[in-house]
Amino acid sequence: MPNAPFTPSPVLAFDCAGSSCSAAILVGDQVLAQRFEARRRGQAERLLPLLQECLAEAGLSWTDLGRLAVTRGPGSFTGVRVGLATARALALASGLPLFAVDGFRLYAAMTTHSLPEATRRNSALVVAIDARRADLFLQCFDAQGQPLAEPQSLLPEQAAARLPAGPLLLAGDGVEQLLPALTGRDYQVVEGSAAADSVALARLAANLPLPPAGSLPPTPLYLRPPDVSLPGKPRA
C-alpha cells in the first residue's frame, strides 16, 4: 500500500516585540489568515483577540494547529514579555511545539526570501531594530544570511562606524534611525522590511527541527537592562 502524501500542519506565528501586533497561519506555502496592526502599546489586550480572529478566518481551532512560533526580541521590553508569555501559555495548554525566533534572524530570513541572490551577492545585510531610545539594536549578516558578528546595542553613529565595507542592504524597524549616520555609504533599504512579518516567521518555524524532548522554555533576547525605576533607586 503506497504511503499517504505528507500534509504539513498549520503553523500559527505571531509578533508583538516591536511597534506592531501581527499574526499569521500558514500551511505549506498557503497563507490561511493574516493580521497586522501598527501599535506601540496595547499588545497585551489585543494579542489574543487577534489570534482568535486568525483562527476564525482560517476555519481552524486550536487543536488543528501543529506548531506555534513567536519572536523573542529584542524590541519593546513589554512587547517581548507579552509575546513570550502568551506563547508559553498556549504551548503548555495545547502541547504544541513552540519555536522562538530572534528578530535579527527573522529580518534576515525576510530579506533572503524577498530579494534574489544576485541582488544580495555583493552586499552585507544590516538589521536595525528600534530600541525605543537613542540607541538601536543591530546585527550584520553576509549574503548567505550568516551572522558576521554578535548583536549589539549601539548609537547610530557608533553603528555606522562598525558596519562592513561595501554595499549594504538595510532591514528592520530601526532603519530610519540609522539612515542619517550613513552619509556617503552605498545602501539599499529592503522593501517591506519596516516591520516583522508573521508569515515569514511561520515559514521559518515550519522548516525548523522539533526541539528536543525536555527542552527549556524559550527565553527573551535583551541587549540591555530595562529602563525602569525601583523604589528608592535612581532610574536605570
Side-chain angles (χ1 to χ4, degrees), residues 138-233:
L138 184 135
Q139 188 173 26
C140 298
F141 298 81
D142 64 18
Q144 287 72 46
Q146 298 301 311
L148 295 172
E150 293 298 315
Q152 299 180 77
S153 170
L154 299 167
L155 294 172
E157 296 76 16
Q158 294 173 324
R162 301 186 189 188
L163 296 180
L168 304 172
L169 296 172
L170 308 178
D173 61 0
V175 166
E176 289 298 323
Q177 190 178 353
L178 178 63
L179 289 180
L182 297 184
T183 303
R185 292 300 305 264
D186 178 9
Y187 65 80
Q188 174 186 340
V189 178
V190 180
E191 185 177 354
S193 69
D197 181 4
S198 288
V199 172
L201 176 60
R203 186 183 301 115
L204 189 59
N207 291 287
L208 291 175
L210 287 171
S215 297
L216 295 175
T219 56
L221 175 59
Y222 296 139
L223 294 181
R224 58 167 167 72
D227 297 301
V228 297
S229 298
L230 299 176
K233 299 286 186 179

Side-chain angles (χ1 to χ4, degrees), residues 101-115 120 125 127 141-146 171 190 192-193 197 199-205 207-208:
V101 177
D102 70 72
F104 300 111
R105 185 178 181 186
L106 175 57
Y107 280 113
M110 290 166 55
T111 301
T112 301
H113 187 265
S114 64
L115 294 181
R120 296 181 278 108
L125 170 63
V127 175
F141 298 81
D142 64 18
Q144 287 72 46
Q146 298 301 311
V190 180
S193 69
D197 181 4
V199 172
L201 176 60
R203 186 183 301 115
L204 189 59
N207 291 287
L208 291 175

